[in-house]
């Protein structure tokens, strides 16, 4: 700020020297040519001095993001409107969106533009972004600048933007063949690798209709009698509830863990699977039954904002409460150490626990992770190690074991 002010003072002194020099030349030299030069320079010099006095506070900037929620590889248009409160004739106005920090790339238009304003009170800058990196990204203030005819005076400043300044980029997803694993019969404790769909031939009761229920499950006789939509409840041949637990602690493959989790959630929502999503970050609440676009978007938003938590700063949730009524528990982790697994196993109430160890294929697995994998298996956890190339068949592989 001080540097800009010092530069502006130097530029003002330069313009004053030009005016003084031209006037002195005309006074001492005399004659029509000398005075012609002075009167030619004077309007441009006075206009340059008026730029010094022009208040940048008269500008207001508004940003509009056409689609503030993006997936990686998707694009959106950004519109920046710069308005001012007067019609003072401005020759040049530069509007520059500062760097996006690498989270997106510009695929159309430009983030800076030079406008010849004149008497206009509003100019519009448009460009198109493509998401590159997941996360909640904040746009910096917009930089504007005004200048005179010859560039003698350049006045610049940053303006806080009204409107949207946050772009949320969802994690990338891959194809995953989701198969509910570790299910149980409703009667007895026989373990089954695959879970069947509800038995829809024998209705045991009715309940209030919920969005996402099939039309064929509606109990039309109750609707005719009460004028309230009711849904049939069927006997389950096998339970299929799954709790998906993401280990949010720092690991070498944290981004791959996020990608795998997002892929599972997207596929589970498509299949309307009975799945609850939970992270080891106590600040993030559990999201139950990812069966619609709203809950899926809420879960993906949570994943987009999630940052790795240092081991010493981790505050896990109360697993006894979080896993209450849980079916099979599927853990996605980069390091299943016993300190992390024991509270989960204690709260699981003998339900099956599966753990996917996501690895970065380009980085060898550390020795301490291999030791923790052996310890997890000794605790009765079914462990499956995989890279991003093995996401698609991951659940099928575990179901076979």
């Amino acid at each position: 700020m001080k540097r800009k002010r010092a530069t502006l003072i130097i530029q003002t002194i330069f313009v004053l020297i030009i005016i003084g020099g031209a006037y002195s030349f005309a006074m001492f030299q005399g004659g029509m040519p000398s005075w012609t030069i002075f009167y030619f320079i004077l309007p441009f010099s006075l206009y340059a001095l008026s730029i010094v006095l022009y208040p940048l506070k008269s500008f207001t900037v508004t940003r509009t993001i056409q689609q503030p929620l993006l997936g990686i590889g998707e694009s959106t248009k950004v519109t920046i409107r710069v308005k001012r409160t007067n019609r003072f004739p401005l020759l040049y106005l530069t509007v520059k969106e500062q760097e996006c920090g690498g989270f997106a790339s510009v695929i159309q238009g430009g983030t800076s533009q030079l406008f010849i304003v004149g008497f206009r009170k509003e100019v519009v800058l448009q460009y198109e972004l493509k998401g590159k990196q997941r996360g909640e990204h904040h746009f910096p203030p917009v930089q504007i600048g005004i200048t005179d005819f010859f560039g003698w005076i350049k006045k610049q400043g940053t303006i806080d933007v009204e409107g949207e300044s946050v772009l949320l980029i969802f994690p990338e997803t891959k194809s995953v063949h989701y198969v509910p694993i570790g299910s149980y019969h409703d009667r007895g404790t026989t373990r089954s690798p695959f879970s069947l769909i509800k038995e829809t031939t024998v209705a045991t009761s009715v309940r209030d209709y919920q969005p996402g229920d099939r039309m064929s499950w509606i109990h039309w006789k109750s609707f005719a009698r009460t004028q309230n939509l009711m849904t049939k409840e069927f006997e389950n041949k096998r339970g299929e509830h799954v709790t998906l637990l993401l280990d949010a602690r720092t690991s070498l493959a944290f981004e791959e863990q996020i990608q795998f989790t997002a892929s599972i959630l997207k596929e589970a929502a498509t299949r309307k699977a009975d799945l609850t999503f939970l992270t080891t970050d106590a600040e993030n609440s559990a999201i139950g039954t990812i069966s619609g676009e709203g809950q899926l978007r809420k879960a993906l938003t949570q994943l987009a904002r999630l940052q790795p938590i240092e081991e010493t700063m981790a505050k896990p949730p109360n697993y006894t409460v979080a896993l209450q009524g849980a079916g099979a528990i599927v853990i996605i982790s980069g390091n299943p150490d016993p300190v992390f697994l024991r509270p989960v196993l204690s709260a699981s109430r003998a339900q099956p626990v599966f753990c996917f160890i996501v690895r970065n294929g380009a980085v060898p697995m550390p020795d301490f992770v291999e030791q923790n994998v052996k310890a997890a298996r000794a605790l009765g956890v079914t462990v499956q190690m995989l890279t991003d190339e093995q996401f698609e068949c991951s659940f099928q592989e575990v179901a076979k074991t």
Side-chain angles (χ1 to χ4, degrees):
M1 188 68 180
K2 292 182 179 179
R3 186 176 179 181
K4 289 182 179 180
R5 186 174 298 176
T7 302
L8 186 61
I9 291 173
I10 293 172
Q11 291 174 346
T12 304
I13 293 173
F14 173 74
V15 173
L16 292 174
I17 290 173
I18 290 177
I19 296 174
Y23 179 74
S24 300
F25 178 74
M27 286 292 292
F28 289 103
Q29 184 70 24
M32 181 65 68
S34 302
W35 284 105
T36 301
I37 293 174
F38 171 73
Y39 287 120
F40 177 79
I41 292 176
L42 187 61
F44 296 101
S45 303
L46 293 176
Y47 181 78
L49 293 176
S50 69
I51 295 296
V52 176
L53 300 175
Y54 190 86
L56 294 180
K57 292 181 179 179
S58 65
F59 289 99
T60 57
V61 181
T62 305
R63 182 189 291 109
T64 303
I65 303 175
Q66 186 181 49
Q67 189 177 349
L69 302 177
L70 286 182
I72 292 179
E74 296 178 352
S75 60
T76 184
K77 288 185 178 180
V78 181
T79 302
I80 296 177
R81 296 183 182 275
V82 180
K83 298 180 181 180
R84 57 185 181 136
T85 57
N86 56 67
R87 292 189 181 273
F88 179 83
L90 289 177
L91 184 62
Y92 300 121
L93 170 66
T94 58
V95 180
K96 182 179 180 181
E97 180 83 279
Q98 300 184 56
E99 294 297 326
C100 296
F103 62 83
S105 58
V106 181
I107 59 175
Q108 186 175 348
T111 56
S112 63
Q113 188 172 343
L114 175 66
F115 296 94
I116 300 177
V117 181
F119 294 97
R120 285 187 294 168
K121 296 180 69 174
E122 179 181 347
V123 294
V124 178
L125 169 65
Q126 278 190 328
Y127 60 95
E128 190 170 349
L129 285 180
K130 183 178 181 180
K132 290 173 54 180
Q133 179 183 346
R134 72 153 189 100
E136 185 178 39
H137 307 288
H138 296 263
F139 287 87
V142 170
Q143 187 179 67
I144 64 171
I146 54 177
T147 186
D148 63 299
F149 288 88
F150 302 118
W152 293 340
I153 300 292
K154 295 180 180 178
K155 193 173 183 180
Q156 294 181 340
T158 54
I159 307 294
D160 291 332
V161 181
E162 300 175 358
E164 298 163 324
S165 295
V166 178
L167 181 65
L168 193 66
I169 301 180
F170 291 152
E172 185 179 6
T173 59
K174 292 191 174 183
S175 175
V176 173
H177 292 317
Y178 176 76
V179 177
I181 53 180
S183 304
Y184 283 78
H185 287 277
D186 283 347
R187 295 186 178 89
T189 58
T190 305
R191 179 171 166 177
S192 171
F194 291 93
S195 171
L196 299 183
I197 307 302
K198 290 182 177 182
E199 174 60 66
T200 57
T201 57
V202 180
T204 58
S205 62
V206 293
R207 58 170 172 81
D208 291 335
Y209 174 82
Q210 296 177 357
D213 289 343
R214 298 180 184 177
M215 293 295 293
S216 60
W217 292 356
I218 294 177
H219 194 268
W220 295 108
K221 292 182 179 179
S222 296
F223 175 71
R225 185 173 62 254
T226 64
Q227 298 300 306
N228 292 324
L229 283 176
M230 305 293 287
T231 301
K232 300 175 186 176
E233 276 286 300
F234 301 98
E235 180 181 1
N236 290 337
K237 279 189 175 178
R238 295 174 188 172
E240 60 175 4
H241 182 76
V242 172
T243 297
L244 186 65
L245 174 60
L246 172 63
D247 183 2
R249 298 174 301 166
T250 302
S251 73
L252 297 175
F254 185 77
E255 290 301 323
E256 286 80 3
Q257 291 174 232
I258 294 286
Q259 186 183 94
F260 185 41
T261 304
S263 301
I264 295 172
L265 292 174
K266 186 176 180 180
E267 183 67 16
T270 302
R271 294 176 178 267
K272 297 189 181 300
D274 190 4
L275 182 144
T276 297
F277 174 55
L278 178 68
T279 73
T280 56
D281 184 6
E283 295 182 359
N284 292 321
S285 59
I287 302 175
T289 314
I290 312 295
S291 59
E293 283 297 323
Q295 288 166 315
L296 175 61
R297 176 162 293 192
K298 183 178 178 182
L300 292 178
T301 299
Q302 196 176 102
L303 285 176
R305 292 172 174 164
L306 190 64
Q307 297 299 320
I309 305 170
E310 294 295 333
E311 191 80 28
T312 56
M313 302 295 291
K315 295 181 180 180
N318 185 343
Y319 291 116
T320 304
V321 176
L323 298 177
Q324 187 175 9
I329 300 171
V330 177
I331 300 172
I332 298 175
S333 177
N335 179 26
D337 58 284
V339 176
F340 160 62
L341 287 178
R342 283 195 182 100
V344 177
L345 292 171
S346 177
S348 66
R349 296 181 178 85
Q351 298 284 28
V353 178
F354 302 85
C355 185
F356 289 105
I357 309 300
V358 182
R359 297 176 47 224
N360 187 331
V363 180
M365 179 178 287
D367 293 337
F368 69 89
V369 175
E370 292 184 359
Q371 295 174 1
N372 288 332
V373 168
K374 294 178 181 178
R377 286 172 174 161
L379 291 172
V381 178
T382 302
V383 179
Q384 176 77 16
M385 289 178 286
L386 69 158
T387 63
D388 58 351
E389 297 177 353
Q390 299 168 315
F391 286 173
E392 186 170 2
C393 300
S394 54
F395 276 75
Q396 292 175 329
E397 293 297 323
V398 171
K400 293 176 183 178
T401 59

